[in-house]
C-alpha cells in the first residue's frame, strides 16, 4: 500500500467553474476525512465517512461542497461554482475506526481560483 | 480551531538548542495528537497521547499530556535543521474520533 493518494496535486480554475478532487485512502482503513487548510492556519475539518456513510459535515461547509464515497473505497470532493475564497489546500486522510494510530494524510490538492 | 490554542505561533531557534511547543484545549481531551507538516505538504503523524501523565518519545521529540490542565507539550532536544516545519496539535474533543486541529507552530532552525 502506497499510503493516501490525492489527485490532482494542483488545480487552477476560473471563478464559477466546478472542480472535483479524488482521494484514495489506505485500503484497510474504514474512515476517510476531508480537511481544508489555508495559509497560516491549521487544517479545518470538512466532512468524514465511515465506509460509504457520510457521518458528519461541517456547518462551515456551504451547499456548493459535496463529498461522496460510493463504495467505501475512494472519495471525491466536488466544489460547484468556485469562488476565490475556496482557494486552499484540500487534505484527505484515512484511519481505522479507532484512530489510536492517528490519521494518515495525503499530500493534498492545492486549489487556486482565479 | 478556537478550541485548541498553540503557543508560540512561530519559533526561531539556533541549531542544537532545545525548544518546547504548547497546546491547550478549552474542552476535555479524549485524545491528543501531534503532527508535523513541511510547507505545502501533507501532515506526518508523530504521536498520540490519551492518558493523563502519559509521555511518549519519537527520536529527539518528546510529548507529554497533562489531562487536568487539558494541555500538552512537545519538546525537541538538540534541534536539527530537519526539525524545521509546522507542528500541529490535534484533539478529539467530541469523543467521536474526529480530530480538530490548532493553528500550528512554525519552527525555523538557524544553522
Amino acid at each position: 500500500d502506497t499510503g493516501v493518494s490525492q489527485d490532482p496535486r494542483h488545480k487552477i480554475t476560473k471563478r464559477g467553474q466546478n472542480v472535483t478532487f479524488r482521494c484514495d485512502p489506505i485500503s484497510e482503513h474504514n474512515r476517510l476525512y476531508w480537511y481544508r487548510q489555508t495559509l497560516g492556519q491549521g487544517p479545518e475539518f470538512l466532512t468524514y465517512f465511515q465506509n460509504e456513510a457520510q457521518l458528519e459535515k461541517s456547518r462551515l461547509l456551504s451547499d456548493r461542497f459535496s463529498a461522496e464515497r460510493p463504495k467505501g473505497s475512494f472519495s471525491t470532493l466536488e466544489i460547484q461554482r468556485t469562488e476565490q475564497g475556496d482557494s486552499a489546500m484540500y487534505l484527505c486522510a484515512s484511519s481505522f475506526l479507532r484512530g489510536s494510530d492517528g490519521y494518515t494524510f495525503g499530500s493534498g490538492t492545492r486549489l487556486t481560483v482565479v | 480551531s478556537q478550541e485548541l490554542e498553540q503557543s508560540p505561533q512561530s519559533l526561531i531557534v539556533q541549531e542544537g538548542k532545545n525548544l518546547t511547543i504548547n497546546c491547550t484545549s478549552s474542552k476535555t481531551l479524549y485524545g491528543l495528537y501531534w503532527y508535523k507538516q513541511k510547507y505545502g505538504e501533507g501532515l506526518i503523524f508523530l504521536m498520540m497521547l490519551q492518558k493523563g501523565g502519559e509521555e511518549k518519545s519519537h527520536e529527539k521529540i518528546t510529548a507529554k499530556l497533562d489531562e487536568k490542565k487539558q494541555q500538552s507539550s512537545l519538546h525537541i532536544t538538540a534541534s536539527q535543521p530537519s526539525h524545521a516545519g509546522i507542528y500541529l496539535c490535534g484533539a478529539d474533543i467530541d469523543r467521536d474520533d474526529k480530530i480538530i486541529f490548532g493553528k500550528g507552530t512554525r519552527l525555523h532552525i538557524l544553522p
Side-chain angles (χ1 to χ4, degrees):
Chain A
D1 201 328
T2 56
V4 178
S5 299
Q6 290 190 246
D7 184 69
R9 288 295 309 273
H10 304 275
K11 178 72 177 179
I12 300 174
T13 191
K14 291 184 178 180
R15 191 173 51 185
Q17 297 293 306
N18 299 344
V19 293
T20 300
F21 309 141
R22 178 180 170 122
C23 172
D24 287 273
I26 292 174
S27 55
E28 298 86 4
H29 287 173
N30 41 27
R31 283 207 170 178
L32 185 148
Y33 308 82
W34 285 99
Y35 287 82
R36 176 174 62 191
Q37 187 178 27
T38 53
L39 198 62
Q41 301 296 314
E44 174 189 32
F45 169 77
L46 295 180
T47 187
Y48 79 111
F49 294 83
Q50 183 168 310
N51 300 316
E52 66 274 9
Q54 187 172 17
L55 296 187
E56 186 175 339
K57 187 175 175 180
S58 170
R59 289 168 293 179
L60 302 173
L61 213 58
S62 79
D63 292 340
R64 296 184 297 106
F65 287 73
S66 62
E68 292 183 342
R69 194 183 183 196
K71 296 182 180 179
S73 56
F74 74 92
S75 175
T76 57
L77 178 69
E78 181 183 15
I79 309 174
Q80 296 182 330
R81 304 180 303 281
T82 52
E83 301 172 358
Q84 286 190 321
D86 297 332
S87 295
M89 174 78 89
Y90 289 84
L91 294 162
C92 175
S94 68
S95 75
F96 291 108
L97 178 59
R98 293 295 167 204
S100 59
D101 293 329
Y103 298 173
T104 302
F105 278 83
S107 297
T109 293
R110 181 167 296 283
L111 173 66
T112 303
V113 181
V114 298
Chain B
S1 164
Q2 293 181 341
E3 288 99 350
L4 287 179
E5 292 287 335
Q6 284 189 240
S7 62
Q9 290 186 358
S10 66
L11 193 55
I12 302 173
V13 300
Q14 198 76 40
E15 182 177 354
K17 297 294 185 183
N18 303 337
L19 62 106
T20 299
I21 297 169
N22 294 301
C23 176
T24 303
S25 173
S26 60
K27 297 184 177 181
T28 302
L29 296 169
Y30 295 101
L32 190 290
Y33 301 78
W34 284 101
Y35 283 83
K36 180 185 175 185
Q37 184 178 30
K38 291 283 191 183
Y39 295 100
E41 298 182 11
L43 281 66
I44 299 169
F45 175 68
L46 294 176
M47 56 195 90
M48 182 238 185
L49 305 166
Q50 208 157 19
K51 300 176 184 177
E54 189 172 11
E55 180 175 322
K56 287 187 178 178
S57 293
H58 173 73
E59 297 177 348
K60 293 186 177 180
I61 302 174
T62 300
K64 301 178 184 179
L65 179 63
D66 185 332
E67 199 172 50
K68 287 183 181 178
K69 291 184 180 178
Q70 296 175 176
Q71 190 175 60
S72 178
S73 61
L74 185 88
H75 185 78
I76 298 178
T77 305
S79 58
Q80 300 170 354
S82 60
H83 288 129
I86 303 169
Y87 288 83
L88 292 152
C89 74
D92 177 1
I93 56 176
D94 293 325
R95 213 170 191 174
D96 60 359
D97 295 316
K98 181 180 85 237
I99 300 176
I100 304 298
F101 286 93
K103 291 187 176 182
T105 294
R106 281 136 194 86
L107 174 63
H108 303 275
I109 307 294
L110 297 176

